[in-house]
């Protein structure tokens, strides 16, 4: 009698565990399931710092990755800091274009962001950092993910490898307005590029006085088709 009950309980326990695991696997969207299981862009530089919502550090990382010799301190004045903290989103984009780079906006859904990571492109994001007692915006670089563990990896603040859960990151991103962009060379097309979006970004690059870079961006799209 007792061995039968014990075996039955074991079977119920195993079934419950398998159901829980299936639920976890099912919570990841089909788009994410099609991506590589784990990606980390180790080549993305890291500048440690808490100042100005992390904006100078994040942009310095992306500019350095694209071959510009720069430090966060050299970006503070062009970003109009400290007075311009309220306008960092626009100022970051404007300054990136002045360096001849395309600012390509992304859909804020997690699959769209991880798709770019899987293609080798770090993503500049803004998310809400803090707790129930205090919170504020933070600019960071999304550089990796682990599909099995359902975590993302960020260059953020004082942390070179800040881990966040998929759900926690999505919530923090949404709370901060769902803003995410690529900062690309004109010849560096995003994964599954949206032609209209890329051409609009090239036009904004031309509007910043970077006509030759904008022409290269347009040509890169034409060549890809």
């Amino acid at each position: 009698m007792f061995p039968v009950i014990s075996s039955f309980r074991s079977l119920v326990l195993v079934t419950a565990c398998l159901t829980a695991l299936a639920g976890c696997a099912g919570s990841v969207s089909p788009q994410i399931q099609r991506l590589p299981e784990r990606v980390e862009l180790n080549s993305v530089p890291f500048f440690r710092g808490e100042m100005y919502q992390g904006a100078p550090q994040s942009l310095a990382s992306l500019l350095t990755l694209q071959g510009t010799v720069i430090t966060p301190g050299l970006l503070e004045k062009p970003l109009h800091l400290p007075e311009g903290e309220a306008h960092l989103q626009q100022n970051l984009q404007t300054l990136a274009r002045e360096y001849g780079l395309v600012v390509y906006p992304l859909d804020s859904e997690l699959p769209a962001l991880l798709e770019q990571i899987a293609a080798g492109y770090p993503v500049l994001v803004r998310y809400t950092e803090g707790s129930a007692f205090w919170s504020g915006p933070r600019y960071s670089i999304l550089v990796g993910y682990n599909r099995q563990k359902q975590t993302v990896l960020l260059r953020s603040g004082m942390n070179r490898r800040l881990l966040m859960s998929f759900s926690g990151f999505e919530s923090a991103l949404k709370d901060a307005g769902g803003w995410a962009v690529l900062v690309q060379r004109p010849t560096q097309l995003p994964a599954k590029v949206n032609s209209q979006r890329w051409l609009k970004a090239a036009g904004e690059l031309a509007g910043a006085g970077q006509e030759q870079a904008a022409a290269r961006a347009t040509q890169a799209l034409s060549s890809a088709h």
Side-chain angles (χ1 to χ4, degrees):
M1 181 70 176
F2 291 107
V4 172
I5 294 174
S6 178
S7 297
F8 177 74
R9 286 175 176 170
S10 298
L11 179 61
V12 170
L13 181 60
V14 169
T15 303
C17 289
L18 290 174
T19 302
L21 288 172
C24 289
S27 66
V28 177
S29 71
Q31 299 99 309
I32 293 177
Q33 288 178 11
R34 288 193 289 268
L35 297 176
E37 183 174 316
R38 181 179 180 275
V39 176
E40 181 172 349
L41 306 179
N42 291 308
S43 62
V44 178
F46 174 59
F47 293 96
R48 189 185 309 273
E50 298 285 2
M51 295 288 286
Y52 308 123
Q53 303 173 25
Q57 292 84 6
S58 296
L59 185 56
S61 292
L62 295 175
L63 292 176
T64 301
L65 184 66
Q66 299 290 8
T68 301
V69 179
I70 198 72
T71 64
L74 294 175
L75 296 175
E76 291 178 12
K77 186 175 180 180
L79 287 173
H80 309 293
L81 294 169
E83 293 83 2
E85 259 191 302
H87 306 287
L88 274 174
Q89 178 178 322
Q90 184 56 50
N91 293 343
L92 280 167
Q93 296 175 93
T94 298
L95 187 55
R97 294 184 188 112
E98 289 176 2
Y99 278 92
L101 299 174
V102 179
V103 179
Y104 179 83
L106 297 171
D107 297 332
S108 59
E109 289 79 11
L110 188 62
L113 305 186
L114 299 191
E115 187 174 61
Q116 300 301 328
I117 299 299
Y121 304 135
V123 180
L124 176 60
V125 298
R126 183 183 61 211
Y127 69 91
T128 298
E129 177 188 58
S131 65
F133 303 101
W134 174 90
S135 64
R138 159 77 63 186
Y139 290 89
S140 301
I141 308 295
L142 180 64
V143 296
Y145 68 87
N146 186 312
R147 181 161 51 83
Q148 184 177 10
K149 295 181 179 179
Q150 297 189 26
T151 55
V152 297
L153 186 64
L154 299 151
R155 300 268 193 272
S156 183
M158 303 299 288
N159 300 294
R160 186 178 189 276
R161 300 181 77 256
L162 176 66
L163 288 172
M164 293 182 69
S165 68
F166 279 2
S167 59
F169 174 69
E170 285 182 290
S171 177
L173 185 71
K174 182 179 179 181
D175 285 347
W179 185 79
V181 300
L182 295 179
V183 178
Q184 303 282 90
R185 293 192 304 274
T187 56
Q188 194 176 43
L189 293 177
K192 296 182 181 178
V193 62
N194 179 298
S195 297
Q196 286 187 323
R197 195 177 296 182
W198 181 261
L199 290 174
K200 184 176 185 294
E204 291 167 339
L205 186 57
Q210 295 284 346
E211 290 87 357
Q212 291 184 352
R216 290 197 298 274
T218 303
Q219 180 59 44
L221 184 64
S222 298
S223 300
H225 292 79

